[in-house]
Structures are given as structure tokens and as C-alpha cells.
Amino acid sequence: MTQHLDPRSPWVISTHDLGKRPGTMRELALVLPAPADLGVDMIGVPKDAEVELDLRLEAVMEGVLVSGTAQAPLAGECARCLDPVSSDIEVELQELFFYSDEDASEEDSLLDGELLDLEPTFRDAVVLALPLSPVCQDDCPGLCAECGIKLAEAGDDHRHEKIDARWASLQGLMTENDNDQEK
């Protein structure tokens, strides 16, 4: 049982004007709302953010070839210091939507009548292009592993006294001995 596409969905595009005539071509410039849950743990495209698409739809023998670019804003947090991070991403899109499943394999995209759903193609391209560990700056020092303070704000002199656990019990003797000598 195949699920039919909703022609009112913003990511569903009609190929009616291409017919099934190889060589027919149409260019589109669209601004669509970003789908939900588009990202990885630390960064992604915010839901309903404007995605700018510059597309070319071409009828070929097997189906409709969609190629072009997509630009979208990114929002997330720095993997080192957890500060907010925002930027933009541009990805290349290229997908062949087959007319029938006879020509296509299981992983290939199919047309639903004259409709194609561009969201999975866009989603795959964006998620593969996202940085797994985004940073606010290339040289972000991150957080102190001991106290959690941001190292960029702490300065170069931020240190923690480290006492070897094997000598820790002697630490108290040293302080008591110093106090005895002062008397």
C-alpha cells in the first residue's frame, strides 16, 4: 500500500507541466518553511525557518531529475563552550524521481502521479552536511574540565592545584607544620 502525497504540502511539487516528455525543463525559485526535527544533536535548521531553493526540474526517460541548491539558517550550540551558534548552510540537491517502481530500486524516489516530495532529499543533504561538533570560533578553548568556567573568559592564568592522591594525606601535615613554625 503506497502512501499518497498531499499536494497542499509545501515540499510537494507538481511536475504536471513537464508531462512525460524528455527534454522538457522548468526552473523554480522557492522559499519554503523548514520541516521539523532537521538536524543533529548540537545544531540544525530551526522549524519553519525560511529555506531558499533554486531548482531545475528536467523530464528524462526514467522520470524527473531535480537538481539545484538549498540555503537555510542554522541554530545550535558550540560543542566546546555551549554558547549559542548560528550560521547558514548551502547544500547541493540532485535526485531522480522515477515514473514507476519497475525502473527504480528500493532506495530510489518515486513520483506519486505527477507529484514529487522534495523534503526527504533536502533533509538527507542537510543532515549529511551539518558539522557534528559545531564551534562558535575555530579557536574556542571550551570549558574548564574541573570547574566548568568558560576558558575564554577565565584568561591564561586559570589553574587548579592538583594534588596526587597518594600524597593527599600529607597535605594536612604541611599546613599544620607551617602554623607551628609561625608561633
Side-chain angles (χ1 to χ4, degrees), residues 12-173:
V12 173
I13 297 172
S14 172
T15 63
H16 175 75
D17 57 332
L18 296 177
K20 289 189 177 183
R21 298 181 308 273
T24 311
M25 191 260 307
R26 172 174 55 143
E27 292 184 347
L28 289 171
L30 302 169
V31 177
L32 300 177
D37 302 321
L38 181 56
V40 292
D41 290 340
M42 302 291 289
I43 196 161
V45 178
K47 183 181 183 313
D48 295 329
E50 288 188 351
V51 177
E52 296 177 22
L53 296 160
D54 189 12
L55 303 173
R56 178 181 178 139
L57 281 66
E58 298 175 75
V60 294
M61 293 297 287
E62 302 86 6
V64 175
L65 177 65
V66 178
S67 55
T69 59
Q71 288 183 299
L74 294 177
E77 56 187 26
C78 177
R80 295 182 190 160
C81 70
L82 304 179
D83 274 356
V85 172
S86 63
S87 63
D88 293 310
I89 191 169
E90 182 172 334
V91 292
E92 298 283 327
L93 304 175
Q94 186 162 23
E95 186 79 26
L96 177 59
F97 291 84
F98 287 87
Y99 291 127
S100 72
D101 54 5
E102 294 170 8
D103 299 326
S105 69
E106 286 183 30
E107 298 86 37
D108 289 330
S109 301
L110 290 174
L111 286 166
D112 181 5
E114 296 177 331
L115 301 176
L116 61 85
D117 186 2
L118 201 55
E119 182 183 329
T121 304
F122 171 69
R123 182 178 294 278
D124 290 349
V126 168
V127 170
L128 289 174
L130 288 174
L132 293 177
S133 298
V135 291
C136 58
Q137 303 172 46
D138 289 338
D139 62 346
C140 176
L143 302 174
C144 174
E146 297 285 323
C147 65
I149 191 170
K150 286 172 53 175
L151 293 174
E153 296 172 359
D156 294 336
D157 59 342
H158 180 75
R159 306 235 187 292
H160 293 277
E161 189 175 328
K162 292 185 178 154
I163 300 170
D164 188 327
R166 296 171 293 182
W167 300 103
S169 60
L170 297 177
Q171 183 68 22
L173 295 175

